[in-house]
Amino acid sequence: MTAELGHYALVLALALALVQSTLPIWGSRTGDDALMGTAAPVALAQALFVSASFAALTWAYVTSDFSVSNVYENSHSAKPMIYKISGVWGNHEGSMMLWVLILALFGALVALFGKNLPQTLKANVLAVQAWVATAFLLFILLTSNPFLRYDPAPMEGRDLNPILQDVGLAIHPPLLYLGYVGFSICFAFAVAALIDGRLDAAWARWVRPWALTAWIFLTLGIAMGSYWAYYELGWGGWWFWDPVENASFMPWLIGTALIHSAIVMEKREALKVWTVLLAILAFSLSLLGTFLVRSGVLTSVHSFATDPARGVFILLILVLFIGGSLSLYAWRAPTLKQGGLFAPISREGALVFNNLFLSAACAAVLVGTLYPLALESLTGEKISVGAPFFNSTFVPLMIPVLIAMPFGPLLAWKRGDLLAATQRLLFAIGVAVVVTILIYGFVQGGPVLAPLAVGLAVFVIMGALADIAERAALWRVPLKVSLARVRGLPRSAWGTAVAHIGMGLVILGIVGESAWKTEVVQRMKLGDTVTVGRYALTLDSLFPRNGPNYQEGVARFVVAQDGKTIGTMEAAKRVFTARRMPTTEAALLTHGFSQLYVAPGETITESAIDVRIYDKPLVLWIWLGCVVMVIGGGLSLSDRRFRVGAPRTSRARKGALQPAE
């Protein structure tokens, strides 16, 4: 009965989405306040019914109701509870339910917290959001119904894909979807602004918190997915330039550009056309990622769908929303009134520079991701575009961004002084140069350019600190006054500095792991010792062990440094009972911000094992840096001006959509 109630709630949610997608926008066209007023309560009701439907599916998993086909295909009675719950979104149908749930909840948040929005704009935003919801609700009900029944019900389920039975994969999809779907609000604001005729600094003020929120969750989702792949798949890497990885990285790049572009629009009412385009592209790339993962065109652990009908349906959604929004943009963009002017050397100019290179980097990733698919569909020829292409195109485009990053906050609005900004960064430049020289002098091996990359990362970090020091007038006024200034800085200033520091830490981790890691591949017998870097690993024992729904062979290693034992590591090959699928459980030992990493081979016998052992310097900075960036985003999001709402548009600026002069 619960499954039927969940299905019925989903149908009611679709009916409400249809109402929400039509009545408010009709009211905005006719000036009918009553029709526009339906948007918020209907959005809340839609979120309620979608939540009820998702709760019904979750309950079927929790109670192991194998009469529901989705539960039978992806669960097992012996599975730990956390993986029963994560199994809800560990499959195609459930992941689409999670997508729609987050979409509905974001719409409800706009309805609840959008009280300072103009009524017409709010109605249009919620209507556009409902268009997206309608499309995905139809997709679920017509092609991906999670509530189908078996009669009679099977006694036991097939279990969840074993490599998805991990805490990282329990957390990763919700975080990623909060980022993906969060950009739908920016998309709705962009389309609503083009329809409504309101595009000014206030619009940017309304959009930026949603863009920041989506960016924060997407950053966390990408970082969590990267760390999961690093320790769970047993290959020892943290990024593979896999098309599915790229699918989440592209909206992150455009989302980063959107956040910076919205700042210019908010401060100077400039870059209106560009900011609206970025808002459309960020969600368009999220939809593209959904198509790549859910259509079956890619083979990946993330790719659940293989039914061509689903792929065609999602492709139609792409054409409708991406094509429709870009067509509307092409029609309305030429009529947008230009905003404030600024010199190339200015804070606005630095942010435009940032935007151009981020967009170019995203384009390089997009070409590398889609070209093999396009070539195969046109000629049948299969090729792979891997790390060499992306490293040779993406990395050079990001170097100018990193070099310019410390300069931007130190330049004045409208017209800046590059020489003065450079003088304020002399200490940061000096520290970066000293660090580079020290690495060249004392660190052996590695690529010749690696010390320069470390110096660049240090420059980014010290440049962010220089910005705070400059705002506090450090060394120019008494220390007490500087501390008072630091305490009085807006949280957005702290957020910018902290996020930039986080980026510098990520670069440090990438360079350290890529340039100076040590790798040993060897067959070890009991009692054998292998030296990796400064550490000696001895194979201490090999033994079997049973889990709740799996058996595993475990290899225990004793780790010593300078003859002194510093810890033990347990690597395993695990086989899950229901599916008989093996997984690799790598062993990690953290020392400082570095890690020892042991991945077992295909088989573990009673006396020997094949192992791949790494010493990875500074590798943890990759994910800790992401966390620091998220903290920076959170500080910016908590800034007071986002709580007091957007400023009212002056009468002189009220008509934002006028023919360009």
Side-chain angles (χ1 to χ4, degrees):
M1 184 64 179
T2 303
E4 284 72 27
L5 290 175
H7 190 193
Y8 184 55
L10 207 60
V11 173
L12 290 178
L14 173 62
L16 289 168
L18 289 169
V19 172
Q20 183 185 334
S21 64
T22 53
L23 292 187
I25 204 165
W26 179 257
S28 72
R29 296 295 91 194
T30 60
D32 190 323
D33 291 342
L35 290 179
M36 287 190 286
T38 62
V42 173
L44 293 172
Q46 183 203 145
L48 177 65
F49 281 106
V50 172
S51 299
S53 182
F54 190 84
L57 182 61
T58 304
W59 182 251
Y61 271 85
V62 169
T63 58
S64 296
D65 183 358
F66 298 122
S67 68
V68 178
S69 63
N70 187 260
V71 180
Y72 165 74
E73 293 289 340
N74 300 284
S75 193
H76 192 277
S77 60
K79 191 168 63 173
M81 181 57 69
I82 184 175
Y83 302 132
K84 288 184 179 180
I85 295 173
S86 66
V88 176
W89 53 81
N91 60 88
H92 169 74
E93 293 82 1
S95 67
M96 288 293 95
M97 283 289 294
L98 179 64
W99 175 284
V100 170
L101 173 68
I102 295 173
L103 189 68
L105 291 178
F106 269 110
L109 288 174
V110 174
L112 288 173
F113 298 108
K115 296 178 181 178
N116 62 328
L117 291 172
Q119 187 178 23
T120 303
L121 180 61
K122 182 178 179 180
N124 286 337
V125 167
L126 289 174
V128 174
Q129 184 81 349
W131 295 348
V132 181
T134 299
F136 278 95
L137 285 167
L138 279 172
F139 174 71
I140 292 173
L141 290 169
L142 297 179
T143 72
S144 308
N145 186 357
F147 296 107
L148 297 177
R149 290 277 199 179
Y150 282 130
D151 186 20
M155 294 297 294
E156 189 54 85
R158 296 186 58 201
D159 206 0
L160 181 65
N161 187 334
I163 64 174
L164 302 182
Q165 295 189 39
D166 181 85
V167 174
L169 255 289
I171 301 171
H172 165 63
L175 291 175
L176 206 62
Y177 279 18
L178 283 165
Y180 273 166
V181 182
F183 283 123
S184 69
I185 299 294
C186 304
F187 173 84
F189 267 97
V191 173
L194 293 172
I195 294 172
D196 182 43
R198 182 186 179 98
L199 195 60
D200 51 22
W203 180 89
R205 181 76 61 86
W206 288 315
V207 166
R208 202 150 74 91
W210 296 105
L212 266 171
T213 301
W215 180 88
I216 286 169
F217 283 115
L218 191 56
T219 303
L220 282 173
I222 292 172
M224 186 72 258
S226 169
Y227 191 61
W228 167 80
Y230 166 75
Y231 71 77
E232 177 65 23
L233 300 185
W235 62 294
W238 55 273
W239 193 261
F240 192 62
W241 291 110
D242 178 87
V244 177
E245 292 175 325
N246 296 345
S248 59
F249 190 44
M250 289 186 289
W252 185 89
L253 289 169
I254 295 299
T256 305
L258 172 62
I259 292 168
H260 290 84
S261 181
I263 295 173
V264 178
M265 186 173 170
E266 179 186 338
K267 294 287 187 181
R268 301 280 301 140
E269 281 206 53
L271 304 183
K272 293 180 182 179
V273 175
W274 178 247
T275 305
V276 170
L277 178 61
L278 289 176
I280 292 172
L281 291 179
F283 184 58
S284 297
L285 288 170
S286 297
L287 289 177
L288 178 63
T290 302
F291 170 73
L292 292 176
V293 176
R294 300 289 174 253
S295 64
V297 299
L298 297 177
T299 301
S300 165
V301 65
H302 305 74
S303 305
F304 304 125
T306 55
D307 183 358
R310 293 171 175 173
V312 171
F313 201 114
I314 296 178
L315 186 60
L316 289 175
I317 293 175
L318 257 70
V319 171
L320 176 63
F321 288 105
I322 299 178
S325 60
L326 290 178
S327 298
L328 177 63
Y329 173 81
W331 173 45
R332 298 289 262 172
T335 69
L336 293 178
K337 186 178 179 181
Q338 299 300 314
L341 300 176
F342 53 86
I345 303 300
S346 62
R347 191 174 301 185
E348 297 98 323
L351 292 170
V352 170
F353 183 89
N354 156 292
N355 269 226
L356 291 176
F357 276 89
L358 284 174
S359 300
C362 180
V365 177
L366 180 65
V367 169
T369 303
L370 295 186
Y371 177 73
L373 302 178
L375 184 66
E376 183 179 355
S377 65
L378 294 174
T379 67
E381 181 182 355
K382 292 187 177 182
I383 66 168
S384 62
V385 175
F389 168 82
F390 292 106
N391 291 340
S392 61
T393 56
F394 178 81
V395 174
L397 288 169
M398 291 305 296
I399 290 174
V401 175
L402 296 174
I403 293 173
M405 190 179 292
F407 286 91
L410 295 173
L411 293 171
W413 292 103
K414 194 172 183 180
R415 184 178 299 276
D417 187 337
L418 185 59
L419 178 60
T422 303
Q423 290 172 341
R424 297 186 187 105
L425 288 170
L426 283 178
F427 181 74
I429 294 171
V431 172
V433 170
V434 170
V435 169
T436 302
I437 293 172
L438 289 174
I439 293 176
Y440 270 119
F442 294 99
V443 177
Q444 302 298 319
V448 68
L449 295 179
L452 290 175
V454 172
L456 180 57
V458 171
F459 175 58
V460 170
I461 295 170
M462 296 305 298
L465 296 175
D467 177 39
I468 297 297
E470 180 64 25
R471 290 172 180 269
L474 192 63
W475 313 127
R476 301 200 305 272
V477 299
L479 183 59
K480 184 177 181 180
V481 177
S482 291
L483 292 176
R485 288 191 175 194
V486 167
R487 288 193 295 270
L489 286 177
R491 291 184 183 177
S492 59
W494 281 107
T496 299
V498 171
H500 288 184
I501 289 171
M503 176 57 71
L505 295 177
V506 170
I507 302 303
L508 280 178
I510 291 172
V511 176
E513 193 275 343
S514 302
W516 294 295
K517 70 180 177 183
T518 306
E519 178 183 1
V520 173
V521 180
Q522 187 168 323
R523 184 171 182 82
M524 297 181 67
K525 297 180 180 180
L526 286 173
D528 285 353
T529 299
V530 172
T531 300
V532 182
R534 298 172 296 161
Y535 304 94
L537 285 80
T538 301
L539 181 57
D540 179 67
S541 58
L542 296 164
F543 57 92
R545 185 165 59 192
N546 293 328
N549 60 335
Y550 61 83
Q551 297 89 38
E552 62 181 355
V554 182
R556 178 177 294 154
F557 299 84
V558 175
V559 184
Q561 182 180 9
D562 300 326
K564 181 180 178 181
T565 299
I566 61 172
T568 61
M569 303 175 69
E570 290 187 357
K573 293 297 291 187
R574 185 174 292 177
V575 178
F576 285 74
T577 307
R579 296 205 180 195
R580 307 306 303 173
M581 283 181 60
T583 64
T584 299
E585 303 299 317
L588 302 173
L589 180 65
T590 300
H591 48 99
F593 295 106
S594 305
Q595 282 188 329
L596 281 173
Y597 183 107
V598 178
E602 290 301 316
T603 57
I604 297 179
T605 68
E606 295 181 355
S607 60
I609 181 176
D610 295 318
V611 291
R612 180 181 287 108
I613 306 172
Y614 300 92
D615 182 22
K616 293 175 169 288
L618 304 181
V619 68
L620 289 181
W621 279 125
I622 296 173
W623 302 291
L624 291 175
C626 290
V627 172
V628 172
M629 283 197 290
V630 166
I631 292 172
L635 286 171
S636 294
L637 190 61
S638 66
D639 193 279
R640 179 178 179 274
R641 69 177 184 272
F642 291 143
R643 299 197 300 273
V644 300
R648 293 185 180 277
T649 306
S650 66
R651 188 172 298 177
R653 295 178 178 177
K654 200 166 185 179
L657 278 172
Q658 298 176 2
E661 297 178 357

